[in-house]
Amino acid sequence: MRTTLWALEGLEHILFGSGRRVACRNAWTAVLEDRDRARSRLEAESVRNAAAAALEAEAVVHAAADRPAPAASRG
């Protein structure tokens, strides 16, 4: 029984010996992808905020242009 267990452990070591290395590589790749997604998300947020500010400024300009001119006061 013990010999069979040792044989299976040896076979497992041969077949899955590089498993830890692969797992670490996969984890690091996932970290790098998360960083790329975060960078892209921040960039998209900056573009969105700039576009919103431009639209808001345009709306203010149009609102000011649509108002009637103030009446001249007699003094």
Side-chain angles (χ1 to χ4, degrees):
M1 179 76 145
R2 188 171 274 189
T3 307
T4 305
L5 179 61
W6 288 341
L8 289 175
E9 286 177 349
L11 183 61
E12 179 182 2
H13 181 70
I14 291 170
L15 293 176
F16 302 113
S18 62
R20 183 174 186 274
R21 190 171 41 236
V22 171
C24 288
R25 190 176 339 139
N26 289 344
W28 184 245
T29 301
V31 167
L32 295 178
E33 289 173 356
D34 286 345
R35 288 180 183 175
D36 285 342
R37 278 192 296 272
R39 192 176 300 116
S40 296
R41 189 172 49 248
L42 287 175
E43 184 179 329
E45 185 177 350
S46 297
V47 169
R48 186 191 68 210
N49 289 341
L55 286 174
E56 185 176 328
E58 186 178 335
V60 169
V61 168
H62 285 297
D66 291 343
R67 274 189 258 147
S73 62
R74 294 182 185 171

